[in-house]
Amino acid sequence: IKLDMQAALKHSISRTIDFYLSVSPDCLESCDVPIDLILSEIQLLTELGQLPSLPVYQQRFPRWADALAEIHGAPKPLHPSGASAGLPELEIGQAIDDFHIISSLGRGAFAQVYLARQESMQRLVALKVSTQSSEEPITLSQLDHPNIVRVFDQRRLPQGSVHLLYMQAILGGTLSNVIKSTAELKLDQLNGGRLLEVVDSSLLEAGQQPPERASDPLSNMNWAAVIAWLGVQMAEGLQSAHDQGVLHCDVKPANILLAPSGQPKLVDFNVSDRGWNQMRERRIGGTLSYMAPEHLATASNPDDENRIDHRSDLYSLAMVLWELWQGIRPWQFSGTADTWRSAVAAQIELRTQPLASTRHDSTPQGAWLEKVLRQCLEHDPQRRPQSCREMATRLRMALHPDLLSLLTPARSSLAGKLLRLPVLLVMALIVFSSNGPAAIVNFVYNLEVIVKRYDQIVPHFHHISLVMNLIAFPVGSAVLIYFCWRVSRSMRRAQQGMVATESDIDWIWRFGNRAAVISAALWLVFGVIFPVVLQRFEPSLSTADFVHFFLSLAVCGGI
């Protein structure tokens, strides 16, 4: 409907919501009109030189009366002198203000974007030309991050009420180009070099010379690592915006530009929450295919108790990364929707379906990436990472393959099989598989080499050995259970989103050291107790045999 409104606007035709209600009552009902469609009509009438009355709109759409009241003051007509409606059309080579138009980069509903040269600064810029201003420059001017497109300034020209917004010229294309170029390829055909080829192709189309790639480390990354590398940067860019109280609300491949180095940059915060003042909890802009479940619920019913927040952007980013990695979005809607509500309902239903991968990635980076993205695509926001910073930290692990191979070994390996077992069972197997044989070897060794030289203490030796083992192994097991409980408790706290304390980190980090020290200490302690008890039954036990006995237990403890 909005696209049709814009098409009619080019011919100075006013097609309002009432027109669409009359021609298609089954598709759109008065009580279900979303607020962004109301705002589109207000903008359309404004561009036709009319002055819409907000009280009238509040009366026509009482459901949105409070939300419309948040719009401060009635919009002013943009064409009071009878200027033509629609977007200003600039020709290649034309000069406007301080800018020389080089080529067209794209067109939206209310703006045309050009590649231009700013004459005063002798630099290339992306020039957004429209007949209306927006909150976007104010929003973006406060976001200073290498992964967010930098806005330089804005100007309003008196002739025709033309508004100019100029920003960084990022000419490496978008992630949409990358997805289109890689969707049909197999994983073994994809790597960082393929990403850079798409970037170079976009640079050439824009008339720019691609940089030298011979020694670019990105070229040799496997595809999962490339996705993680992109994801880390985009998550950090979103976190920077979130720290400023700004939500993007429309994270999708087309809104992620690529610099010549392949570095991703977020753009188009035009639907971010900051521009809506007190309407933050009622924002419904965005793209259905990439919306989080709670965002979709709010779009369908603004009175729903679900509220979008930074985890909604995180979810949308995970959708983009999954599509880039797998070549297809996590969930595809193959049917048709008759109404806005049914379209939203279908998307919400899709988000509850099991998530299946179509490209099997057997690399450690692929296994880790899948694990992280599945966590980020949880239906319940509480089960996702609780910030984009946390998401970036998890994704960054895929950039350290040596460390990753230790933490996520192959499922077929011994370590991979052990990691799927309960922690306490694995630790018990490790402890008893080492200490059990050591105890048997030590028993046989001391019996044959030392004890049998004193025939009268052989029966006592058997009895003492049994008692000592019945004491040592339960004591060691009790300590082991306590250690495992401390580690398990720390992990549960982390999974619940609680901040890890120094004690939590210490218990996990030093778990192996403590286990080794306790095991060795028990051997040493009983290395003293055992010969002392034997001496009570055989006072003639020599000092050399005492020391020999102790050292035999010390060696087993050390091993």
Side-chain angles (χ1 to χ4, degrees):
I1 291 174
K2 288 192 286 185
L3 289 173
D4 190 65
M5 279 184 173
Q6 183 64 26
L9 175 65
K10 293 180 182 179
H11 302 285
S12 299
I13 299 173
S14 173
R15 282 191 176 173
T16 63
I17 294 172
D18 291 335
F19 169 79
Y20 298 100
L21 289 173
S22 64
V23 299
S24 184
D26 295 334
C27 175
L28 188 68
E29 297 179 5
S30 179
C31 60
D32 288 334
V33 173
I35 191 172
D36 53 338
L37 192 55
I38 299 171
L39 297 179
S40 296
E41 178 182 308
I42 293 175
Q43 180 59 41
L44 177 144
L45 295 176
T46 301
E47 295 211 14
L48 288 173
Q50 302 176 29
L51 189 62
S53 170
L54 286 179
V56 171
Y57 279 93
Q58 289 175 311
Q59 185 176 3
R60 285 175 62 194
F61 306 103
R63 177 187 179 190
W64 296 111
D66 293 339
L68 290 168
E70 300 294 340
I71 301 176
H72 300 292
K76 297 177 181 179
L78 296 177
H79 305 290
S81 59
S84 62
L87 298 176
E89 292 290 347
L90 302 180
E91 297 180 358
I92 306 305
Q94 180 179 344
I96 179 171
D97 195 59
D98 190 27
F99 305 96
H100 184 84
I101 304 301
I102 297 176
S103 64
S104 175
L105 295 179
R107 182 187 182 93
F110 296 106
Q112 178 88 14
V113 182
Y114 299 93
L115 176 63
R117 184 175 67 250
Q118 187 179 8
E119 300 294 349
S120 62
M121 302 297 293
Q122 287 297 296
R123 64 181 176 187
L124 292 178
V125 297
L127 183 66
K128 190 173 184 179
V129 183
S130 65
T131 55
Q132 61 171 330
S133 60
S134 71
E135 294 284 348
E136 185 179 21
I138 301 173
T139 299
L140 290 180
S141 65
Q142 300 177 52
L143 305 179
D144 185 9
H145 192 274
N147 297 112
I148 297 177
V149 173
R150 185 69 181 273
V151 169
F152 295 132
D153 204 350
Q154 61 179 329
R155 303 182 183 189
R156 175 170 290 282
L157 304 183
Q159 59 274 25
S161 300
V162 175
H163 181 262
L164 305 179
L165 172 68
Y166 52 105
M167 61 190 85
Q168 277 179 296
I170 310 299
L171 304 177
T174 69
L175 278 188
S176 291
N177 303 129
V178 179
I179 291 172
K180 290 177 184 177
S181 301
T182 60
E184 302 300 324
L185 301 178
K186 297 180 180 179
L187 275 177
D188 57 9
Q189 299 175 289
L190 297 173
N191 55 26
R194 179 70 66 173
L195 172 73
L196 295 176
E197 287 177 11
V198 177
V199 171
D200 289 348
S201 176
S202 297
L203 289 171
L204 290 171
E205 287 181 9
Q208 303 298 303
Q209 179 65 34
E212 176 60 44
R213 304 292 193 189
S215 58
D216 196 319
L218 187 60
S219 299
N220 298 319
M221 282 189 184
N222 67 35
W223 195 235
V226 171
I227 305 306
W229 180 78
L230 292 167
V232 167
Q233 297 180 77
M234 288 185 282
E236 290 180 338
L238 284 173
Q239 184 64 53
S240 175
H242 296 166
D243 289 342
Q244 297 292 324
V246 176
L247 302 183
H248 191 291
C249 296
D250 196 19
V251 178
K252 59 183 179 181
N255 284 341
I256 300 168
L257 307 182
L258 296 172
S261 64
Q263 181 186 40
K265 291 180 180 285
L266 292 156
V267 71
D268 202 355
F269 282 72
N270 210 21
V271 296
S272 72
D273 264 15
R274 171 164 288 188
W276 287 78
N277 301 305
Q278 303 303 317
M279 291 170 61
R280 291 191 177 202
E281 295 188 346
R282 292 177 177 252
R283 183 68 185 108
I284 59 173
T287 304
L288 288 181
S289 300
Y290 296 93
M291 282 185 182
E294 64 275 13
H295 197 170
L296 288 165
T298 305
S300 176
N301 180 15
D303 297 324
D304 191 283
E305 62 181 9
N306 294 290
R307 292 294 178 261
I308 62 173
D309 59 19
H310 54 279
R311 293 169 298 185
S312 305
D313 277 350
L314 181 151
Y315 187 99
S316 298
L317 175 56
M319 292 273 283
V320 171
L321 295 178
W322 184 280
E323 183 178 10
L324 187 59
W325 177 48
Q326 290 289 307
I328 188 172
R329 282 197 302 275
W331 297 281
Q332 294 280 353
F333 180 56
S334 56
T336 57
D338 297 328
T339 66
W340 164 262
R341 277 188 179 277
S342 62
V344 173
Q347 290 290 341
I348 293 176
E349 174 62 25
L350 279 176
R351 305 294 192 270
T352 64
Q353 302 301 315
L355 181 57
S357 56
T358 54
R359 286 173 172 166
H360 177 65
D361 195 331
S362 60
T363 65
Q365 294 97 325
W368 182 261
L369 178 66
E370 181 173 358
K371 179 180 178 180
V372 174
L373 293 183
R374 285 183 180 274
Q375 292 169 341
C376 296
L377 291 172
E378 285 282 356
H379 194 276
D380 181 2
Q382 294 296 332
R383 296 174 61 86
R384 302 173 202 157
Q386 294 303 292
S387 69
C388 285
R389 181 176 291 111
E390 183 179 346
M391 180 184 184
T393 300
R394 296 187 187 188
L395 287 172
R396 193 175 284 110
M397 184 70 71
L399 304 180
H400 301 278
D402 293 338
L403 179 58
L404 191 60
S405 64
L406 295 176
L407 297 178
T408 57
R411 292 178 63 87
S412 58
S413 67
L414 176 60
K417 293 175 181 177
L418 290 176
L419 283 175
R420 295 197 296 275
L421 297 174
V423 173
L424 186 58
L425 175 60
V426 174
M427 290 307 302
L429 289 173
I430 293 173
V431 168
F432 287 101
S433 66
S434 57
N435 285 278
I440 295 172
V441 170
N442 187 266
F443 174 84
V444 174
Y445 176 82
N446 286 322
L447 177 63
E448 297 294 331
V449 176
I450 300 175
V451 175
K452 283 189 176 180
R453 291 166 45 205
Y454 305 89
D455 293 337
Q456 63 276 24
I457 64 170
V458 171
H460 298 296
F461 176 73
H462 286 277
H463 180 69
I464 294 170
S465 296
L466 178 61
V467 173
M468 292 294 181
N469 282 308
L470 288 176
I471 295 174
F473 277 92
V475 169
S477 298
V479 174
L480 173 67
I481 290 172
Y482 176 71
F483 282 12
C484 288
W485 173 76
R486 285 301 303 258
V487 171
S488 178
R489 187 181 74 166
S490 298
M491 294 303 295
R492 284 198 304 271
R493 284 169 50 84
Q495 290 169 348
Q496 293 169 1
M498 302 172 67
V499 176
T501 65
E502 289 188 14
S503 175
D504 291 335
I505 296 172
D506 181 74
W507 271 101
I508 294 174
W509 189 249
R510 301 183 186 277
F511 180 87
N513 290 347
R514 287 195 173 101
V517 168
I518 291 297
S519 183
L522 286 172
W523 279 95
L524 293 175
V525 168
F526 284 93
V528 174
I529 295 176
F530 210 132
V532 166
V533 174
L534 278 177
Q535 270 191 326
R536 295 193 62 183
F537 293 97
E538 181 54 60
S540 62
L541 188 69
S542 68
T543 302
D545 287 334
F546 186 104
V547 173
H548 192 170
F549 208 106
F550 169 78
L551 288 177
S552 71
L553 271 79
V555 168
C556 287
I559 293 172

